Amino acid sequence: MKRRLNLRIGRRTRAGRRAGAALALTALTVPLTVAFGSTAEAATASSCTAARGPYQKQAEKFLGLPVDGRQSASDCRAIRAFQTSHGITPNIGYAGPVTWGVMSLVAQQKAAGHNPNKAHKCPTNKGRIACVDLTRQLSWIQDGSRLAFGPVPIRSGRDGYETRTGAKKIYWRHLHHVSTLYNVAMPYSQFFDGGQAFHSISGSVWSAPGSHGCVNMRSGDAKKYWSLLKTGDDVYVYGRKAGT
């Protein structure tokens, strides 16, 4: 019975990973973490909206569209494509605060480029270290000052379950971990602070409001972290996630 249950869980987990991978972009992307309220964005719809959002001009500028502050069919299609690729629902092309919040973070992530530690906030005297910037919702791995992997988008803790900041160390790794608190799969788990760990999720890393404190990752990124890190390696978490 236990073996059959494990097999069923494994099949669901693999299906979830495939669904999450289908949402991911090949370029650097950002988790949906700015959970501001918006009646228009909370509405359920399956078609493009003609409504002008409060961040219409900002969205047009971000997407390289003509900046006139008026919603056109082409504007809506471009905004909707961004929403779809970043897991923002409903994806109706409305430029509301959630969409603009994600766009703002995407801009910060793109600016990080291949030098995410330009501000020298993550230590460079520790050798191999995994850095987590909660403000930009980014993580990367360094060898001293050399960038070893990343940066990659992450989803950190929601309000009330914030990912704790400071210097940590990976103290336990479990490849096929399942949470005893929430009964969910946590593949490639690498624990660094109590119950907080790097791990992949079966859903979207862009979904609000965030984790219960863990650093959620896309499957491929979590797998790479698993291959690069080991027990005893340093982790440094800093910054503050918007809305927490």
Side-chain angles (χ1 to χ4, degrees):
M1 181 66 179
K2 183 176 180 182
R3 183 177 180 184
R4 288 197 297 274
L5 180 60
N6 288 337
L7 287 172
R8 286 196 295 271
I9 292 173
R11 283 194 291 270
R12 287 198 297 269
T13 302
R14 289 191 292 273
R17 288 175 187 165
R18 288 194 292 271
L23 288 171
L25 297 178
T26 55
L28 185 64
T29 52
V30 65
L32 174 59
T33 59
V34 187
F36 306 105
S38 172
T39 301
E41 284 192 292
T44 300
S46 58
S47 60
C48 227
T49 180
R52 174 191 180 278
Y55 293 88
Q56 184 73 31
K57 284 187 176 181
Q58 292 92 327
E60 289 168 348
K61 183 177 180 180
F62 176 85
L63 294 171
L65 302 168
V67 180
D68 57 16
R70 296 192 297 269
Q71 176 81 310
S72 66
S74 58
D75 288 346
C76 188
R77 286 194 297 269
I79 296 169
R80 190 180 185 192
F82 177 87
Q83 292 169 334
T84 300
S85 64
H86 289 77
I88 300 171
T89 56
N91 57 337
I92 59 174
Y94 181 83
V98 172
T99 297
W100 174 241
V102 175
M103 287 178 173
S104 298
L105 283 175
V106 168
Q108 291 185 61
Q109 291 198 330
K110 287 182 176 179
H114 296 292
N115 189 17
N117 200 32
K118 184 178 181 179
H120 305 291
K121 292 185 178 181
C122 192
T124 58
N125 61 346
K126 298 281 190 179
R128 178 63 56 91
I129 185 171
C131 308
V132 180
D133 181 347
L134 300 178
T135 303
R136 295 181 293 174
Q137 292 287 281
L138 283 177
S139 183
W140 63 92
I141 297 174
Q142 296 175 183
D143 275 320
S145 60
R146 182 184 69 84
L147 182 65
F149 179 70
V152 298
I154 56 96
R155 185 179 74 163
S156 64
R158 66 187 71 180
D159 190 28
Y161 295 90
E162 290 85 353
T163 304
R164 293 180 287 272
T165 57
K168 326 283 183 180
K169 284 185 181 291
I170 293 174
Y171 69 89
W172 186 53
R173 296 171 9 119
H174 191 187
L175 183 59
H176 302 294
H177 188 70
V178 176
S179 170
T180 56
L181 287 176
Y182 305 107
N183 193 32
V184 294
M186 296 168 55
Y188 304 106
S189 282
Q190 301 190 81
F191 290 85
F192 54 81
D193 186 358
Q196 298 188 351
F198 294 111
H199 68 84
S200 72
I201 56 172
S202 59
S204 170
V205 297
W206 304 295
S207 61
S211 73
H212 287 92
C214 287
V215 175
N216 295 163
M217 310 182 81
R218 298 176 295 187
S219 181
D221 297 333
K223 185 177 181 180
K224 186 68 174 180
Y225 267 49
W226 181 270
S227 71
L228 291 174
L229 300 174
K230 63 181 185 301
T231 302
D233 278 349
D234 289 286
V235 176
Y236 189 72
V237 183
Y238 68 94
R240 184 173 181 176
K241 177 181 176 179
T244 63

